[in-house]
Amino acid sequence: MDKAFGDALVRLLPNLRRYALSLSRQPDVAQDLVQVTVERAIRNAASRDPAQRLEPWLFRITRNAFIDMTRRHRTEGARIDITENPDILSTDGVAAIESRLMLQATEAAIARLPREQAEVLTLVCIEGLSYAETAEVLDLPKGTVMSRLSRARLALADALGIN
């Protein structure tokens, strides 16, 4: 990263914060978006066209990061801090045992999947990556990721008897 790029990036941080805040409407999420934007900008600085203005490029990175974050949160569901809500902790011993047994069976079934299917299943369903991100990580076409994930889900459901 050259000095001029770094200086321009620092100079534009207030603009990025404002834009991120307008997208997220939450200061802590906006800070996270700015951090992701700066990380991605530095990582991809060499691929940026220096003839183009820096601001639109950074705003596009921010918007894409916000979309990624929104999609990830939508698939994750609500997060609840159990220290603030201790009454949600399960005290039902039978349910806890059943959950533990189902988790063990699921882990064993995943371990029996072909490596390619287990890898895709882990990245998408456990790590929360999108199909595109998984395809990029594994250097595969997105359709291949979708196909492997579909086969993995079917095999997993079959192994657990929930199909």
Side-chain angles (χ1 to χ4, degrees):
M1 177 176 78
D2 65 344
K3 183 172 174 18
F5 178 78
D7 291 344
L9 190 58
V10 170
R11 189 181 73 251
L12 291 170
L13 285 176
N15 303 53
L16 291 174
R17 282 190 192 101
R18 276 192 304 274
Y19 182 57
L21 189 57
S22 75
L23 291 171
S24 68
R25 299 175 188 211
Q26 297 173 359
D28 57 328
V29 174
Q31 276 302 114
D32 291 344
L33 281 172
V34 171
Q35 181 176 349
V36 168
T37 300
V38 170
E39 289 173 1
R40 289 181 183 180
I42 290 171
R43 188 177 331 116
N44 297 307
S47 66
R48 186 182 85 79
D49 181 6
Q52 301 294 321
R53 290 185 54 219
L54 184 59
E55 292 92 333
W57 184 68
L58 291 172
F59 289 147
R60 188 170 47 253
I61 292 172
T62 304
R63 183 175 180 277
N64 289 340
F66 176 70
I67 290 169
D68 292 346
M69 190 179 290
T70 302
R71 286 179 182 153
R72 193 165 287 129
H73 288 307
R74 194 177 315 139
T75 59
E76 286 176 354
R79 290 187 177 192
I80 300 173
D81 186 356
I82 61 169
T83 59
E84 293 178 12
N85 302 297
D87 55 320
I88 65 170
L89 292 175
S90 173
T91 56
D92 183 4
V94 173
I97 291 170
E98 287 175 353
S99 294
R100 190 171 299 125
L101 290 172
M102 180 56 110
L103 179 60
Q104 289 172 347
T106 303
E107 289 173 339
I110 291 173
R112 289 190 302 269
L113 289 174
R115 184 187 54 79
E116 296 84 11
Q117 290 178 12
E119 191 172 34
V120 170
L121 185 76
T122 300
L123 290 173
V124 173
C125 297
I126 297 173
E127 298 302 327
L129 295 183
S130 69
Y131 294 161
E133 291 169 328
T134 301
E136 184 179 323
V137 167
L138 299 176
D139 195 28
L140 294 171
K142 187 174 158 186
T144 302
V145 168
M146 294 168 65
S147 174
R148 287 182 183 176
L149 181 61
S150 176
R151 287 193 308 270
R153 285 177 171 161
L154 290 172
L156 190 59
D158 188 48
L160 297 173
I162 55 175
N163 49 347

